[in-house]
Amino acid sequence: NTFGLIQIGLILLCTTTTSSFQCNHLPLQQRKVIENSLQLLDRMGKKFPQQCLREKKSFRFPEQVLKPRQKESVKIAIEEIFQHIFYIFSKNLTLAAWDGTALQQFQNGLYQQIERLEACVIKKQTHYFRSKEVNRLKLKKYFQKIDCFLKDKQHNLCSWEISRAEMRRCLQLIDKVIRKL
Amino acid sequence: GQTNLKSPQDLQVYVVNTNFTLRWNYTGNDTNVTFSAEYRFEDFTTDEMEWKELPGCQNVTHTECDFSSAITEYYDNHHVRIRAERREEVSPWSSIFEMTPYVIAQISPPGIELQSINGVIKIKVSPPEANQVQKMWIDDLSFKYNLVIWENSSNAEFRNQSIFPTDIIDDLAPDTTYCLKVQATYPSDSKEGLFSPIHCVKTTRKAVNVLFCATNVSVLALNMQFHLHWNNQYKQLVSYNVQYLIGYLKKLYDDYSVKWLSVPGCENITDTQCNFSSIITTTSGLFYLRVQAMSEYNKSCLSNEVKVDPLVTNEIGPPGLKVDISDVLLHIQISPPGGSENEVMRDHYDLSYRVLYWKNSSNNEEEIKMKEIKQTIGTISDLAPSTLYCVKVQAFSKAYNKSSHFSKEECVKTPGDKILPLIILATFVTALIAVLLVATPLVFVLYQAYNKIKYVFFPSCQPPLNIEGFGGQFFNSPYLSTTEEAIENCSIIEAIITEVNQIDFKDYKHSKQSSRDSGNYSNDDDTSGSKVSEETLEKEIV
């Protein structure tokens, strides 16, 4: 049993050491995750329903979050966005009636990337720029708005479709930024 | 308001989840003194920054108050101030306390449910604000739970462990009491929540029927072909069922134990290995795998879980290599690992290739040179002619810090220089001509010298045969001193007689001494006759 523990410990150690090497290549992985996520978002449901157009709301994504000159802040901001999107899509989706497999793959992809970053974040906590907190709070506010919107509409079809379109727009913005990194 | 009353000092806001508590100090005379607070927050939608009464902190007698109902914007900057009041008197406002609720908020302890079965502890964690409508921590999926566990004995070691909302704590000693506590953390915000109260539980004995469980469960993956291997020490017949779980389900608070699925093709098998490539439909996503062993008594046992991150777990196989030579350029053609149709690896690993090449000489190994290329074709140009070069290549991924084994060595010889033979030929011909030019006169000179020498020492002329008694003296060289040789005059005389015209005269005295008998002379004593004939002959010749 101790041998099993040693094995697990070694595997964990190897996993953490390999993931710490991936910190430098986060943009490449993030790009792949975003590409994949966009494809799956499209595959999940059909075209945006016409009847939901009048319910459309402007959430005002804080684009300045993706603009700072420091690459590190942008990378961490992107990881936070993944975490928020992961959270939103874990809610009650029965009324949305989307493709379950595509949704599962979408969530799994985001989760994989979040796990990978955790090692990097722990290492880089000392470099974390507190001055960018204002931007991070704006980001949290943005996702809070979407969450409240979904709750108010009781997670009906239109609220989900509007949220999905909003997330799509958000990921496309990140995609543009990450290609420049 | 009078200025006799002192204003409160050292304002502090204490926040746990959405519970806001304001605390302060009051150093003045606190008899019949009440306190009232005001607040304002920066709302950028309205440009208002007006002070409002803080509900829950009006006319309070103690030096603390709860104003949770007032705050709704957790991400905005708030200002709070307070003053003391006594009847008509009011103190000046205290200094403003500035805060952003989210930033100073603390995470309350999570809920814990424990179950001790089978020598392990099953733990179920519920998030800090479970079942609350108004939440500070909206994203409860981003919590990372930190478990601290120790044996309930003196000088026990504390063990820190990160756990999922539903998790199993194994590697514990059976029949032992353990105590534990859990805190929720937000790693990205560097927040560590408050610890739960300590829970103590005793582990049971381990079930006996663990003999037939699958052990040493490991994954071997090459070129995106994933195989699960395990061992079993049990001698009797055991059947296996390999199950997988989609990774992200562990992050949710729902019970995922019912969400394990069977790997197609690995149900009810007796082999201790399984190819689960079919479930790895995409490289994005983690998976967990486990083996369920079923004994003949219909008892089942679950093995440990293995986590599979497809691109991290997978090993890159060696690429194929073909070399071609032309002049002094070596052309390399690499076939990517997994075949040209396997685009997954190329896409996600961002593969590059490391080419090693060296001169394969009979003496000790030459320096190995390296070249890194991104494409599957490349050329090496700094080669020496007429040399045997060997090449091998490996694929590597910088992003994932992975490299494959090297391909087989391919050796090829560079062609010789075309110009060199011509140079050699020209040099040879020139040398030949030069040698001939020098050698011919030399030979000629030598030949002449040889002739002269031969002429001196061994002249080719001979005296006529009919000259008698000229003995050997005639054949001595006129230039060299004669040696007194005892020459047989008889033979000379014969020569004189036989070859008449060629003989030089010598002193005929020698002929007298000759003791040889020739046919023309008789053996009588009368020799005068012969003398006379000799003399006449001499005169005639002369």
Side-chain angles (χ1 to χ4, degrees), chain B residues 262-314:
Chain B
S262 282
V263 174
C266 293
E267 299 168 67
N268 225 352
I269 55 169
T270 49
D271 209 4
T272 57
Q273 59 137 4
C274 166
N275 181 352
F276 61 92
S277 311
S278 55
I279 61 149
I280 313 285
T281 46
T282 164
T283 54
S284 296
L286 297 169
F287 295 91
Y288 291 92
L289 276 112
R290 71 180 185 189
V291 183
Q292 182 189 44
M294 303 274 285
S295 75
E296 62 258 359
Y297 307 107
N298 263 350
K299 282 211 155 67
S300 81
C301 166
L302 292 169
S303 71
N304 290 334
E305 293 168 7
V306 229
K307 185 162 110 171
V308 176
D309 186 342
L311 291 171
V312 175
T313 314
N314 179 54

Side-chain angles (χ1 to χ4, degrees), chain A residues 1 3-5 7-8 11-12 15 17-19 21-23 25 28-29 32-33 36 40 60 76 80 83-84 86-88 90-91 100 103-105 107-112 114-116 118 121-122 125 128 130 133 136-138 140-144 147-148 151, chain B residues 42-45 72-76 100 102-103 133 135 138-142 144 159 164 170-172 186-190 206 216-217 246-252 281-288 304 306-307 309-312 347-350 398-401:
Chain A
N1 236 357
F3 185 65
L5 178 65
Q7 269 190 320
I8 293 166
I11 292 165
L12 282 170
T15 328
T17 34
T18 43
S19 21
F21 281 113
Q22 292 168 15
C23 284
H25 300 280
L28 168 71
Q29 293 169 359
K32 291 286 172 203
V33 170
N36 206 38
L40 288 165
R60 285 183 307 198
I76 293 174
E80 281 210 35
Q83 280 185 337
H84 284 115
F86 178 73
Y87 165 76
I88 286 176
S90 70
K91 293 291 149 198
L103 184 64
Q104 274 191 337
Q105 287 183 3
Q107 290 288 76
N108 212 18
L110 286 174
Y111 168 63
Q112 180 192 43
I114 293 164
E115 277 274 292
R116 280 189 188 152
E118 253 154 30
V121 168
I122 290 165
Q125 254 172 20
Y128 198 70
R130 261 349 199 181
E133 209 161 76
R136 290 183 59 240
L137 290 169
K138 288 205 173 92
K140 288 187 200 289
K141 225 180 173 175
Y142 167 77
F143 283 101
Q144 188 197 31
D147 190 48
C148 284
K151 276 205 188 100
Chain B
E42 296 171 61
D43 189 354
F44 295 101
T45 49
T72 50
E73 299 299 322
Y74 300 130
Y75 306 113
D76 293 336
T100 307
Y102 183 85
V103 176
V133 178
K135 286 189 194 184
I138 313 169
D139 182 7
D140 53 12
L141 290 182
S142 295
K144 252 195 124 50
R159 199 175 85 197
F164 284 108
D170 44 22
D171 57 271
L172 300 170
Y186 252 162
S188 52
D189 287 322
S190 315
K206 269 203 166 47
N216 295 346
V217 185
I246 300 174
Y248 83 97
L249 293 171
K250 278 208 175 191
K251 200 90 172 113
L252 308 179
T281 46
T282 164
T283 54
S284 296
L286 297 169
F287 295 91
Y288 291 92
N304 290 334
V306 229
K307 185 162 110 171
D309 186 342
L311 291 171
V312 175
D347 276 343
H348 289 88
Y349 280 124
D350 194 28
K398 235 184 181 175
Y400 288 87
N401 198 27

